[in-house]
Amino acid sequence: MSTLQLSAAFSDNERTRPLIGGQIKPEGIELFASTVYPSEMFWRQLKFGDFDVSEMSMSSILIATARGEHEWVAIPVFTTRYFFHTRAVVRADSGIEKPADLRGKRIGVAEYQQTAAVWSRGVLQHEFGVDPRDLIWTMERTVERSHGGATGFKPPVGVRFSYMAPEKDLIGMLQAGELDASLNYFI
């Protein structure tokens, strides 16, 4: 029986390192594993299908599948385990002390459709009564480099949404006071 050769992309975490390092070897498979930062991995996979196997943003795969794209098969393996809604960064002078204070504030996200942002918006809406339409959203990634650009993302009706200027980034806008908070900011 021949060995199946597969390229694979994984984020670097304690659940994927045994596969990346070869300590765990799938039976009958020669795995060529690469470590790729999630945003790049998802974009490359959505845009070009660079890998035989990869992690994928749950929200992006759901959007792609809903649009009729079926070149991937999703399996329920969750390699990232965070309470995403706890990863917010808030400017000390923003007046934000509790989730309800986010209403009317300028919120930055790396990617509006990323799974972490979807989870965070869901928690804000369903646990704290803060609807996504209550905030002013700014997305860091350009259309060309985003998961949304690869899936045809359009902001939901009624959501105040804009793209960041290409020369800006979340941390710079937070420091300059151009954003009041950022969801899912990973340092």
Side-chain angles (χ1 to χ4, degrees), residues 13-163:
N13 66 57
E14 60 275 5
R15 285 164 295 286
T16 59
R17 283 186 201 118
L19 279 168
I20 295 165
Q23 292 86 358
I24 294 179
K25 297 180 185 207
E27 189 175 319
I29 297 173
E30 184 176 4
L31 196 63
F32 298 96
S34 299
T35 304
V36 183
Y37 193 76
S39 59
E40 178 187 348
M41 177 188 347
F42 304 158
W43 179 78
R44 287 174 61 185
Q45 195 68 330
L46 288 164
K47 200 81 168 153
F48 307 110
D50 281 352
F51 310 99
D52 296 316
V53 176
S54 79
E55 295 176 59
M56 178 51 65
S57 158
M58 184 177 1
S59 57
S60 294
I61 194 73
L62 291 172
I63 290 169
T65 302
R67 293 180 60 207
E69 299 168 20
H70 299 288
E71 60 266 18
W72 301 293
V73 174
I75 59 173
V77 176
F78 301 95
T79 62
T80 304
R81 297 179 184 165
Y82 294 114
F83 291 110
F84 291 115
H85 62 286
T86 66
R87 311 282 295 200
V89 173
V90 175
R91 283 183 52 88
D93 64 354
S94 68
I96 300 168
E97 295 181 18
K98 59 188 179 301
D101 296 337
L102 289 166
R103 288 187 182 93
K105 299 292 186 176
R106 301 162 300 169
I107 311 301
V109 289
E111 178 94 39
Y112 190 85
Q113 84 168 46
Q114 77 186 95
T115 303
V118 172
W119 279 109
S120 296
R121 287 193 307 275
V123 169
L124 283 171
Q125 182 173 358
H126 299 289
E127 297 298 321
F128 298 104
V130 179
D131 189 279
R133 293 170 292 205
D134 296 338
L135 298 102
I136 303 164
W137 298 95
T138 301
M139 188 170 115
E140 183 175 44
R141 294 186 193 133
T142 63
V143 174
E144 299 79 23
R145 298 291 294 176
S146 73
H147 315 161
T151 62
F153 166 78
K154 301 282 184 245
V157 174
V159 169
R160 293 176 284 177
F161 176 91
S162 63
Y163 291 95

Side-chain angles (χ1 to χ4, degrees), residues 138-145 163-176 178-179:
T138 301
M139 188 170 115
E140 183 175 44
R141 294 186 193 133
T142 63
V143 174
E144 299 79 23
R145 298 291 294 176
Y163 291 95
M164 218 173 268
E167 68 277 4
K168 296 196 175 198
D169 59 42
L170 284 173
I171 193 69
M173 288 186 75
L174 280 165
Q175 288 173 332
E178 297 172 282
L179 293 173

